[in-house]
Amino acid sequence: MISFVAAGLIGALVALAELVSRYRDDPWRALISLPAGLYVVVNLAGSVSGLWMIKQFGWTFGAAGAGLELTQVLVAGFGSSTLFRSSLFNVTVGNQVVGVGPSAVLTVLLSAADRAVDRGQAKIRSEQVRRIMDKYPFERGADALFQYSIAALQNFTPTETKALEDRISSLRSGRESTLPDQVKSYLLGLALQTLVGEKTLRELVDSLLPVIEQPPPAEQVLLSTLEAVGKSELRSLQARSGLPLYEFSRVLDALASAGRVSIDGDPGEETVSLANATA
């Protein structure tokens, strides 16, 4: 009886380990879902039935004496996962190859668990990311958050690091580059939350946000000048700010791209104002 319990526990642990590896951002919430529980029970039952077959057919796997029962338990516990992934034969349906055998049962159960867990977590994850990233600027803060996350956790694989770099590049210059800056922040938050979890992401953003929100000195000079003089001609604003022409042009372009200032008028007669003062 003890051997059957041990084999079942091993099969259940194998199933739990697989589920945890698939839902890294919040494994506990994934494990308590009904489909995930069914998946664990099926693996447990497979290990128990596998041990029963081993004993009925008298398979020893080359072991004898005191190590025989332990070998049988280990083979049943870990071997059932391999059995459930096997196919007796394949059938082509349309453009897909469908395996007929135990793997078909496992695929259905795992797909059901995936869909159920994803549906349950989608609303929670989106609400969490919205609260965390609501005030975080993507253009100014994406690189800082990316590098800070890597430095803080130290367990990013090269593949994960490259995937995040590509994600940021796609949001900046790919087909998603036209999305609003705030939506880009949400998408970056979702990508990072999958790897670091909700609590860690919140702590990283809370640490960086005061620094990211503070304008660089040159930007602060230009904004302060606009606050003092209000709407101003471009040339007059550059003279009043005291910034070199190159620095003035660079900072003005950055502020305009961020939507913090508005530039109106024809070339040579442009006027600049704070964005919230144009109405």
Side-chain angles (χ1 to χ4, degrees), residues 147-168:
Q147 295 295 339
Y148 198 28
S149 298
I150 294 177
L153 266 74
Q154 298 183 350
N155 65 348
F156 280 92
T157 65
T159 301
E160 292 169 340
T161 302
K162 181 65 165 57
L164 281 174
E165 289 177 339
D166 292 343
R167 190 76 179 103
I168 294 174

Side-chain angles (χ1 to χ4, degrees), residues 9-275:
L9 288 176
I10 292 174
L13 288 174
V14 171
L16 289 172
E18 183 173 355
L19 290 170
V20 167
S21 68
R22 295 176 69 85
Y23 307 108
R24 294 173 54 184
D25 62 324
D26 197 337
W28 173 247
R29 192 164 61 224
L31 295 180
I32 62 177
S33 67
L34 181 60
L38 178 60
Y39 181 69
V40 172
V41 170
V42 169
N43 276 268
L44 185 152
S47 296
V48 172
S49 60
L51 181 59
W52 180 83
M53 293 176 60
I54 288 172
K55 290 184 177 293
Q56 290 298 311
F57 288 102
W59 295 334
T60 63
F61 307 103
L68 174 59
E69 187 168 14
L70 176 61
T71 301
Q72 291 176 329
V73 169
L74 293 176
V75 171
F78 291 105
S80 63
S81 61
T82 303
L83 173 64
F84 270 87
R85 286 160 177 76
S86 63
S87 299
L88 299 178
F89 56 91
N90 295 326
V91 176
T92 301
V93 180
N95 295 325
Q96 293 184 335
V97 177
V98 180
V100 177
S103 64
V105 177
L106 184 69
T107 300
V108 170
L109 291 176
L110 185 57
S111 297
D114 274 339
R115 288 192 296 270
V117 172
D118 283 344
R119 284 194 297 266
Q121 293 195 132
K123 181 179 179 180
I124 297 174
R125 295 180 75 239
S126 62
E127 289 178 351
Q128 289 174 341
V129 167
R130 180 182 58 80
R131 289 194 298 267
I132 295 172
M133 305 293 293
D134 188 48
K135 297 181 180 180
Y136 196 86
F138 175 81
E139 289 297 335
R140 294 178 58 189
D143 292 332
L145 184 57
F146 168 61
Q147 295 295 339
Y148 198 28
S149 298
I150 294 177
L153 266 74
Q154 298 183 350
N155 65 348
F156 280 92
T157 65
T159 301
E160 292 169 340
T161 302
K162 181 65 165 57
L164 281 174
E165 289 177 339
D166 292 343
R167 190 76 179 103
I168 294 174
S169 297
S170 176
L171 289 169
R172 279 184 169 152
S173 58
R175 60 189 179 91
E176 299 164 309
S177 60
T178 57
L179 293 173
D181 190 77
Q182 193 60 64
V183 175
K184 294 180 183 179
S185 294
Y186 293 157
L187 293 174
L188 175 62
L190 286 170
L192 282 169
Q193 187 186 34
T194 301
L195 298 175
V196 306
E198 182 263 339
K199 291 183 179 179
T200 302
L201 178 62
R202 182 184 300 278
E203 292 174 357
L204 294 174
V205 170
D206 287 346
S207 298
L208 284 176
L209 192 57
V211 179
I212 298 298
E213 285 183 327
Q214 182 178 2
E219 292 187 11
Q220 186 61 65
V221 169
L222 189 53
L223 290 173
S224 298
T225 303
L226 276 173
E227 289 176 357
V229 302
K231 193 171 185 178
S232 173
E233 293 183 354
L234 191 63
R235 294 178 182 177
S236 174
L237 180 62
Q238 190 266 327
R240 288 174 175 271
S241 68
L243 295 173
L245 181 60
Y246 171 78
E247 183 73 3
F248 173 81
S249 299
R250 182 189 67 80
V251 172
L252 185 63
D253 288 342
L255 291 173
S257 298
R260 304 187 67 181
V261 301
S262 177
I263 304 176
D264 304 299
D266 298 326
E269 299 179 356
E270 298 98 328
T271 59
V272 184
S273 61
L274 293 172

